[in-house]
C-alpha cells in the first residue's frame, strides 16, 4: 500500500511511519515542519515539504497516488488553544477541510484521523466510552470534534470512509530504542518533566492541585506512542477489509496523576525534579480515562506498552541520549 502521512514528521507521525514501513508499505510524508523535524523523516519514505493550507501543494502531492491518508497535522496544545483559537480554527479545521477536499478530488477514499480525548470535555462518567457526551472544555477539543463531524457528513454524502482515532495522552518513545519523533519545542507534561530532570528547566509548573482527584492534581490516561502507531496500521486494514467508518478511543485504561508522574520520574531518573504548584490551566478537565474496548473489538487493538514505567523509561532514555548527541533543539 501507499500511505500518505500528513504531519508525518511530528512526534506521533514518525512512529506511525515506522509501523507502516515495518510491514512493507510505502510511506509518503507531507509536513510543513512547523513543529515537526526533517530529521524525523525515515530513510526510504517520500518527503514533501508543504502545507495543508496550500491547495496547489495538495494537488501536487495527491497526484502521486495514495491508497489511504493519515491526517496527523494539527496544533495540539489545549492550553494555547484557549488563548489563540483563531490559529487552531484555521490550521485544524480549515486545514482538514482542504485535505478532505483533496481526497475527494483525487479519489482517495480512506482517511485516518488523529482525533483526541479532548472531544469529550469534563467526564460525566468514567471510563469514557465513545458514546459519552461530547462537550469539549477547550477549543482544541472542539476543533477535533468539528473535523470528526465533517468526516461523518463526507461519508454520508460522498462515501469517504474514515477511522477517527481518539488518542488519549500520547507518551513514550519507540520501544525498540530507535531515536525517533523528537520534538522542536515539547509542551506536554512528560517531556517537560524530563527537561526539568535533565536540567534544561529550573522547575516544573503543576497546573492545579485542588482538583477532585486522589492527590488534587490532574489525572490523564497515558498511552504509549508505539501502541498508537500500531493502531493506524490496523485502522487502514480495517478500511480496506470493511469499507465502513469507525470512531474509537485509544488509551491504556489507567489514570495517572501529575504528582504520580513526577514521583515516578524522580525514581526512574534518580534526579531531583523541583515542582512549583500554580493555578489550574483554563480548559483542563480534572480526569480523563479511556475505555478502549471498541478498538479491541473492531481493530483487535490492545495497549501493550502503555504502563507508566515503560512510558517514562523510554522517554528518559531518549533524553539521556539527546544529552550526549544534543539532538532535541530548544
Ligand atoms: N500528542 C498527544 O498527546 C495527542 C493526543 C491526541 C491527539 N493528538 C493529535 O495527533 C496529531 C499528531 O500529534 P503530535 O503529538 O505528533 O504533534 P506534532 O506537533 O509533533 O505533529 C504534528 C505535525 O504536523 C505538522 N503540521 C502542523 N500543521 C501543518 C500544516 N498546516 N501543514 C502541514 N503540516 C503541518 C507539524 O509540522 C508536525 O510535524 C495531532 O493531530 C494531534 O492533535 C496528539
Ligand atoms: O507543564 C505542565 C503541563 C501539563 N500539566 C498537566 O498535565 C496534564 C497533561 O497535560 P498535557 O498538556 O500534557 O496534555 P493534555 O491532557 O492537556 O492534552 C494532551 O492530550 C489530549 C488528549 O487527552 C490532547 O489530544 C492534546 O493534544 C494533548 O496535548 C494536565 O493535567 C495538565 O494540567 C502540568 O501540570 N504542567
Amino acid at each position: 500500500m501507499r500511505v500518505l502521512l500528513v504531519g508525518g514528521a511530528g512526534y506521533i507521525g514518525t512512529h506511525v511511519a515506522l509501523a507502516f514501513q515495518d510491514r512493507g508499505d510505502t510511506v509518503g510524508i507531507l509536513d510543513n515542519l512547523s513543529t515537526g523535524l526533517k530529521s524525523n523523516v525515515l530513510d526510504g519514505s517520500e518527503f514533501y515539504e508543504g502545507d495543508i493550507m496550500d491547495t496547489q501543494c495538495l494537488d501536487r502531492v495527491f497526484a502521486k497516488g495514495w491508497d489511504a491518508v493519515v491526517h496527523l497535522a494539527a496544533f495540539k496544545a489545549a492550553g494555547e488553544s484557549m488563548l489563540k483559537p483563531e490559529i487552531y480554527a484555521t490550521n485544524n479545521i480549515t486545514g482538514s477541510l482542504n485535505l478532505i477536499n483533496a481526497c475527494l478530488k483525487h479519489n482517495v477514499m480512506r482517511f485516518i484521523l488523529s482525533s483526541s480525548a479532548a472531544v469529550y470535555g469534563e467526564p460525566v462518567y468514567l471510563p469514557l466510552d465513545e458514546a459519552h457526551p461530547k462537550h469539549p472544555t477547550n477549543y482544541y477539543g472542539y476543533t477535533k470534534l468539528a473535523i470528526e463531524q465533517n468526516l461523518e457528513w463526507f461519508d454520508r454524502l460522498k462515501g469517504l470512509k474514515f477511522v477517527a482515532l481518539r488518542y488519549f495522552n500520547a507518551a513514550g518513545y519507540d520501544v525498540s530504542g530507535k531515536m525517533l519523533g523528537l520534538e522542536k519545542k515539547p509542551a506536554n507534561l512528560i517531556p517537560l518533566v524530563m527537561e526539568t530532570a535533565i536540567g534544561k528547566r529550573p522547575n516544573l509548573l503543576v497546573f492545579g492541585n485542588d482538583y477532585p482527584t486522589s492527590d488534587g492534581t490532574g489525572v490523564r490516561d497515558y498511552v504509549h506512542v508505539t501502541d498508537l502507531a500500531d493502531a493506524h496500521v490496523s485502522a487502514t486494514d480495517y478500511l480496506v477489509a470493511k469499507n465502513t467508518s469507525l470512531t474509537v478511543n485509544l488509551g491504556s485504561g489507567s489514570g495517572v496523576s501529575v504528582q504520580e508522574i513526577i514521583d515516578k520520574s524522580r525514581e526512574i531518573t534518580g534526579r531531583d525534579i523541583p515542582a512549583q504548584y500554580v493555578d489550574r490551566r483554563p480548559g483542563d478537565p480534572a480526569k480523563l480515562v479511556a475505555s478502549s474496548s471498541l478498538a479491541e473489538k473492531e481493530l483487535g487493538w490492545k495497549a501493550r506498552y502503555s504502563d507508566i514505567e515503560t512510558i517514562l523509561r523510554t522517554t528518559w532514555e531518549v533524553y539521556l541520549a539527546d544529552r550526549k548527541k544534543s539532538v532535541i533543539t530548544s
Side-chain angles (χ1 to χ4, degrees), residues 71-193:
H71 177 29
L72 303 120
F75 293 146
K76 65 165 177 175
E80 183 189 56
S81 76
M82 299 296 279
L83 304 170
K84 300 178 183 168
E86 64 285 3
I87 67 166
Y88 279 72
T90 306
N91 206 43
N92 293 11
I93 302 177
T94 311
S96 296
L97 290 173
N98 287 344
L99 200 56
I100 290 170
N101 287 339
C103 284
L104 298 177
K105 186 169 170 186
H106 296 270
N107 201 31
V108 180
M109 301 306 272
R110 300 185 191 107
F111 194 105
I112 318 284
L113 173 70
S114 297
S115 189
S116 167
V119 299
Y120 295 113
E122 198 59 64
V124 180
Y125 60 82
L126 289 170
L128 292 153
D129 57 22
E130 292 78 1
H132 185 282
K134 283 154 275 293
H135 300 295
T137 51
N138 53 64
Y139 188 77
Y140 162 77
Y142 166 72
T143 67
K144 293 290 177 177
L145 187 57
I147 301 161
E148 283 190 8
Q149 289 171 343
N150 272 287
L151 285 170
E152 282 160 16
W153 276 106
F154 282 94
D155 178 1
R156 269 170 66 187
L157 303 177
K158 294 283 175 176
L160 178 69
K161 299 301 170 195
F162 69 89
V163 177
L165 299 172
R166 290 182 184 150
Y167 317 153
F168 280 61
N169 290 52
Y173 280 87
D174 177 50
V175 287
S176 65
K178 294 191 182 75
M179 202 145 141
L180 316 159
L182 302 175
E183 295 189 88
K184 264 186 196 164
K185 205 171 172 222
N188 286 113
L189 176 68
I190 293 176
L192 297 183
V193 167

Side-chain angles (χ1 to χ4, degrees), residues 5-73:
L5 307 186
V6 182
Y11 163 59
I12 298 172
T14 311
H15 291 86
V16 174
L18 181 68
F20 279 110
Q21 274 196 358
D22 273 354
R23 68 136 191 202
D25 291 322
T26 300
V27 169
I29 288 171
L30 168 62
D31 201 298
N32 68 358
L33 303 180
S34 55
T35 58
L37 290 166
K38 182 84 186 290
S39 55
N40 281 336
V41 175
L42 300 182
D43 287 344
S45 55
E46 299 170 19
F47 179 60
Y48 308 98
E49 185 170 345
D51 200 302
I52 53 174
M53 301 310 296
D54 176 352
T55 55
Q56 287 181 350
C57 163
L58 287 176
D59 278 338
R60 283 194 300 276
V61 174
F62 273 77
K64 307 280 176 189
W66 305 100
D67 299 303
V69 165
V70 181
H71 177 29
L72 303 120

Side-chain angles (χ1 to χ4, degrees), residues 75-79 114-119 138 140-141 144 166-170 187-193 201 203-208 211 217-222 256-258 261-262 276 278-281 283-288:
F75 293 146
K76 65 165 177 175
S114 297
S115 189
S116 167
V119 299
N138 53 64
Y140 162 77
K144 293 290 177 177
R166 290 182 184 150
Y167 317 153
F168 280 61
N169 290 52
N188 286 113
L189 176 68
I190 293 176
L192 297 183
V193 167
R201 290 174 181 267
N203 55 26
L204 177 84
L205 299 180
V206 176
F207 299 141
Y211 281 108
T217 64
V219 169
R220 294 289 182 274
D221 179 325
Y222 295 90
V256 181
S257 73
V258 174
I261 295 281
I262 297 169
Q276 188 187 341
V278 297
D279 285 349
R280 292 181 183 191
R281 188 173 62 177
D284 274 359
K287 186 170 179 178
L288 296 176

